Amino acid sequence: MTKIIKFITTALFLSFSTITFALQGLNVITITTDDPQDYVEWLTESQPIFQAAQGDNQVAQGICSPSSGGVYTNEHYVWTIAPSISAMMSNSDFFTEKEVARALRKIANKREIVRRDSMYIIKEADIDGVGVTNAQYNLTSRTNNIQAYSDALTAMEKAAAENGFEDIRVALFGSLAGGDRALTVMASIQAPTSERLGEFFDQRMSSWMTEAVSNFDELRTPVLDFMMECTTLSVNN
């Protein structure tokens, strides 16, 4: 009986360990377009097609539009969260699937793909519901200690909550394959609205935030930052 209990305990431990250490994937396609409204409408209408083709390999998809920073004029970021890195990399035939290819042909001459990034989620934030838009400040950095940086971001998030900003969320993503951004991480400070995000940054010189970010310069070297608004277009329930 003892041996059976030990076997079950070990099996459960291995099972939960597998779940715990399966990192979620984040795929980001950067596009430029002169007609962002038309592109968003197309992407929204195409969600059922993309969801059907991705199946359980997709958790959610949405689009972000920068308000400042970034690299290219009129750039937008189409993001897809996968339940694991392996799920993100498992559907190599996605773009050639018949219905997906047909949908892509409708927009091919109206947008240009300028980069693709594969990332993984180190510190996650809740995914908003379909149609919900939030505001984000994203900072891409280089760091030699991801865990310490993640812990520092968690501490800042906690300090924000203790000082009236319970609605501020902080996520951290790592680059899996990012070309010139190889081995970087991207911190994302998220708020319900751009105004609320601005109120958070109004506190930059406050004593509580000064203390909360006091070790950031030791933990990371900034590479690129940008402000944007992001909308969730689909969630796989």
Side-chain angles (χ1 to χ4, degrees):
M1 183 67 177
T2 302
K3 290 182 178 179
I4 293 175
I5 293 174
K6 287 183 178 179
F7 173 78
I8 293 174
T9 302
T10 301
L12 286 172
F13 173 77
L14 292 173
S15 175
F16 286 128
S17 296
T18 302
I19 295 172
T20 301
F21 292 103
L23 293 171
Q24 287 185 308
L26 172 65
N27 180 269
V28 180
I29 298 176
T30 302
I31 65 100
T32 57
T33 177
D34 292 328
D35 192 346
Q37 183 175 351
D38 182 61
Y39 183 83
V40 172
E41 290 177 357
W42 166 82
L43 187 61
T44 302
E45 294 172 355
S46 300
Q47 286 305 299
I49 296 172
F50 296 159
Q51 279 189 303
Q54 289 281 32
D56 292 336
N57 291 327
Q58 177 177 309
V59 173
Q61 187 173 77
I63 187 167
C64 298
S65 302
S67 55
S68 62
V71 177
Y72 306 98
T73 302
N74 295 331
E75 70 179 6
H76 304 271
Y77 318 117
V78 180
W79 54 265
T80 304
I81 294 177
S84 64
I85 293 174
S86 57
M88 179 175 66
M89 299 176 66
S90 66
N91 195 354
S92 58
D93 297 329
F94 172 75
F95 291 102
T96 57
E97 195 275 334
K98 183 178 179 180
E99 294 302 319
V100 172
R102 180 180 299 170
L104 292 172
R105 284 195 293 271
K106 295 179 181 179
I107 203 70
N109 296 326
K110 299 180 180 180
R111 62 93 173 93
E112 180 180 358
I113 296 175
V114 294
R115 73 176 292 136
R116 301 175 188 266
D117 293 277
S118 294
M119 311 180 79
Y120 60 95
I121 299 176
I122 300 167
K123 180 183 183 308
E124 65 179 329
D126 293 338
I127 299 172
D128 287 324
V130 175
V132 176
T133 298
N134 67 26
Q136 300 185 15
Y137 168 74
N138 285 10
L139 174 65
T140 299
S141 304
R142 299 193 182 279
T143 179
N144 292 321
N145 195 331
I146 292 177
Q147 187 58 57
Y149 186 34
S150 179
D151 291 344
L153 290 170
T154 300
M156 181 190 70
E157 186 177 32
K158 181 180 178 181
E162 292 172 348
N163 286 273
F165 290 91
E166 300 89 348
D167 52 354
I168 294 294
R169 301 173 299 183
V170 182
L172 182 64
F173 310 96
S175 176
L176 183 65
D180 57 343
R181 299 175 195 172
L183 302 180
T184 59
V185 295
M186 183 176 72
S188 177
I189 301 174
Q190 305 174 8
T193 64
S194 293
E195 181 180 5
R196 185 58 171 163
L197 186 61
E199 290 172 353
F200 173 78
F201 279 105
D202 280 339
Q203 299 293 309
R204 293 188 73 166
M205 302 305 293
S206 66
S207 58
W208 71 263
M209 188 178 289
T210 300
E211 181 180 354
V213 304
S214 61
N215 61 339
F216 276 22
D217 288 343
E218 303 169 5
L219 296 173
R220 53 95 174 108
T221 301
V223 174
L224 175 73
D225 68 346
F226 44 99
M227 296 275 193
M228 58 187 184
E229 290 192 340
C230 297
T231 303
T232 302
L233 298 180
S234 65
V235 175
N236 186 354
N237 295 319

